[in-house]
């Protein structure tokens, strides 16, 4: 376990914000987690957990202790003719884990290729892309409870997965740390989801049949062509959630704005594309000082260089207010606001 004082968090968040952590502890094993939980000052309960830093906006320096999740490992814990159960430590790279499963020809995670961040944070917002969510291949996870100082195994029902949501954003926020996640992946009879985004077009253009590998490759190519690389342009992917609204409200709105993209949900609500609302409120590609909404994807808030957390948040609020004024819809951040 390595400790630092007054440490810059710039290398650890994809906006590249140079906020300082009063103390930064690097937890490199589950034994480190257990030892940290026993710290006599009870630090763990007030800790900011930092994983890949790709879904947080640091609006201020972080007082107290920030704990960086840095333990790794992947193990096949069970296997049948049809399925494999893969347990992955919280500190493993998400994308490398997806590629590991793709190279083994295991199905389930291919649509989630190239999402930044680490595995332990993926259940927190039930990451999703191209019509697939983490919950679709999820078996269970191990959670270390700071107060009880014990590990409990949680299934999908315990995790309360929703659209970019889980108990880890609500009742269990700050209560403990996800140690590992176990996925149930298919070895044959894979189910492919190719109807979202441009996956079918990408497959058709190369003449390749849908497979675990070809879908992963297509998703990577699509993402690389339209999403800014955080190493080049600081960002955290989609800044806002796509709002799910009552059907009546969306019908009325669509009469005024015929092009409004709509996605009916199983619960009867209709999701509308937040990126479309932002674009049609005039913010796509518009730069204000060091910040702006991306030129190709209006939902992505970007740091053009040197922006502070408050500057980025101020811009997000400006966009939020403008969308509300024009469409009467309150956008909700998908990104975790810190400080
Ligand atoms: C270019 C880009 C594209 C993206 N595309 C997508 C996308 O398609 N779909 C999508 O869903 N997301 C997307 N994201 C958002 C982000 O990558 C995911 O939400 C990712 O899972 C965050 O992982 P992280 O390790 O970076 O988490 P962090 O940002 O470090 O943490 C996120 C939250 O989880 C908490 N946390 C972290 N680790 C743990 C743990 N082990 N136990 C308990 N709590 C923990 C943190 O305290 C924080 O509140 C994108 C981001 C970028 C930059």
């Amino acid at each position: 376990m390595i400790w630092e004082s007054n440490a810059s968090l710039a290398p650890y968040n994809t906006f590249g914000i140079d906020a300082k952590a009063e103390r930064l502890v690097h937890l490199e094993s589950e034994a480190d987690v257990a030892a940290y939980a026993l710290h006599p000052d009870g630090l763990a309960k007030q800790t900011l957990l930092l994983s890949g830093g790709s879904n947080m906006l640091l609006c201020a320096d972080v007082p107290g202790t920030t704990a960086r999740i840095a333990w790794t490992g992947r193990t096949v814990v069970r296997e049948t003719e049809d399925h494999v159960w893969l347990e992955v430590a919280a500190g493993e790279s998400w994308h490398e884990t997806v590629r590991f499963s793709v190279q083994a020809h295991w199905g389930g995670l291919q649509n989630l290729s190239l999402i930044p961040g680490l595995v332990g944070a993926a259940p927190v917002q039930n990451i999703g892309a191209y019509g697939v969510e983490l919950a679709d291949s999820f078996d269970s996870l191990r959670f270390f409870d700071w107060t009880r100082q014990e590990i409990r195994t949680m299934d999908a029902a315990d995790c309360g997965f929703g659209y970019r949501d889980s108990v880890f954003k609500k009742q269990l926020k700050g209560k403990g740390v996800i140690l590992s996640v176990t996925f149930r992946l298919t070895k044959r009879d894979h189910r492919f989801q190719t109807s979202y985004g441009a996956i079918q077009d990408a497959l058709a253009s190369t003449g390749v049949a849908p497979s675990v590998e070809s879908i992963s490759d297509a998703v990577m190519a699509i993402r690389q062509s339209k999403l800014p690389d955080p190493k080049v342009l600081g960002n955290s992917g989609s800044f806002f959630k796509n709002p799910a609204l009552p059907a009546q409200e969306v019908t009325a709105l669509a009469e005024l704005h015929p092009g409004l993209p709509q996605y009916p949900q199983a619960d009867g609500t209709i999701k509308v594309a937040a990126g479309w609302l932002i674009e049609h409120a005039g913010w796509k590609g518009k730069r204000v000082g060091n910040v702006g909404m991306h030129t190709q994807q209006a939902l992505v808030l970007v740091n053009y260089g040197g922006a502070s957390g408050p500057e980025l948040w101020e811009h997000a609020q400006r966009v939020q207010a403008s969308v509300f004024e024009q469409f009467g819809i309150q956008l909700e951040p998908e990104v975790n606001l810190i400080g």
Side-chain angles (χ1 to χ4, degrees):
M1 194 182 327
I2 300 164
W3 289 84
E4 293 179 65
S5 294
N6 199 29
S8 169
L9 296 177
Y12 303 120
N13 73 96
T14 57
F15 270 121
I17 294 166
D18 187 23
K20 299 276 187 296
E22 188 178 347
R23 282 183 302 270
L24 177 63
V25 59
H26 302 261
L27 301 176
E28 292 174 321
S29 64
E30 290 196 6
D32 276 0
V33 175
Y36 180 66
L38 286 170
H39 195 284
D41 295 344
L43 295 179
K45 287 184 209 162
Q46 301 131 44
T47 295
L48 167 66
L49 292 173
L50 176 65
S51 180
S54 66
N55 201 27
M56 53 173 65
L57 176 57
L58 298 165
C59 295
D61 288 342
V62 187
T65 309
T66 299
R68 195 172 78 83
I69 284 147
W71 59 94
T72 55
R74 289 187 205 109
T75 319
V76 171
V77 289
R78 192 180 156 204
E79 199 163 357
T80 62
E81 277 186 13
D82 295 328
H83 292 99
V84 61
W85 282 258
L86 179 69
E87 181 177 2
V88 187
E92 283 288 349
S93 147
W94 173 264
H95 175 64
E96 280 171 24
T97 299
V98 173
R99 290 303 289 179
F100 174 83
S101 67
V102 166
Q103 275 148 22
H105 311 293
W106 297 331
L109 303 180
Q110 60 277 0
N111 290 49
L112 304 177
S113 299
L114 220 56
I115 297 181
L118 308 182
V119 166
V124 175
Q125 77 151 0
N126 181 25
I127 59 169
Y130 300 96
V132 172
E133 293 180 334
L134 164 126
D136 300 329
S137 300
F138 178 86
D139 176 74
S140 58
L141 59 76
R142 289 164 58 251
F143 181 78
F144 188 101
D145 186 314
W146 293 137
T147 306
R148 295 184 194 168
Q149 310 250 336
E150 65 182 25
I151 298 171
R152 62 170 152 136
T153 300
M154 299 173 64
D155 64 17
D158 298 329
C159 294
F161 291 128
Y163 166 57
R164 302 296 173 274
D165 207 11
S166 73
V167 286
F168 308 105
K169 280 187 152 186
K170 297 172 176 160
Q171 303 93 305
L172 291 182
K173 190 176 165 68
K175 303 283 190 236
V177 57
I178 295 165
L179 295 175
S180 67
V181 184
T182 300
F183 300 95
R184 179 174 172 271
L185 305 172
T186 50
K187 286 168 72 180
R188 59 186 190 189
D189 300 330
H190 309 297
R191 286 217 190 136
F192 296 130
Q193 171 56 275
T194 58
S195 59
Y196 278 70
I199 297 181
Q200 270 167 358
D201 293 346
L203 292 177
S205 73
T206 50
V208 184
S211 69
V212 171
E213 295 80 0
S214 65
I215 292 175
S216 174
D217 290 347
V219 167
M220 285 171 64
I222 296 165
R223 294 183 70 103
Q224 277 163 339
S225 72
K226 62 174 208 178
L227 283 174
D229 179 353
K231 289 192 194 96
V232 180
L233 207 54
N235 76 90
S236 66
S238 304
F239 192 85
F240 297 105
K241 291 184 188 183
N242 290 318
L245 306 169
Q248 270 176 319
E249 201 178 313
V250 177
T251 310
L253 206 62
E255 276 173 24
L256 294 171
H257 308 281
L260 180 72
Q262 307 172 26
Y263 308 99
Q265 303 299 296
D267 63 2
T269 61
I270 299 182
K271 238 188 241 173
V272 297
W276 188 95
L277 298 172
I278 295 168
E279 181 176 349
H280 287 80
W283 294 100
K284 187 177 180 182
K286 196 184 230 178
R287 182 170 171 169
V288 179
N290 293 325
V291 304
M293 306 312 286
H294 191 239
T295 45
Q296 289 194 64
Q297 174 48 273
L299 195 47
V300 178
L301 175 66
V302 295
N303 176 0
Y304 285 104
S308 65
E311 237 175 306
L312 283 152
W313 178 223
E314 203 177 293
H315 192 67
Q317 286 174 297
R318 208 177 280 140
V319 171
Q320 218 176 14
S322 158
V323 166
F324 186 72
E325 198 179 301
Q326 297 197 39
F327 301 102
I329 296 175
Q330 186 67 40
L331 294 179
E332 194 189 319
E334 176 179 313
V335 169
N336 297 280
L337 302 172
I338 312 292

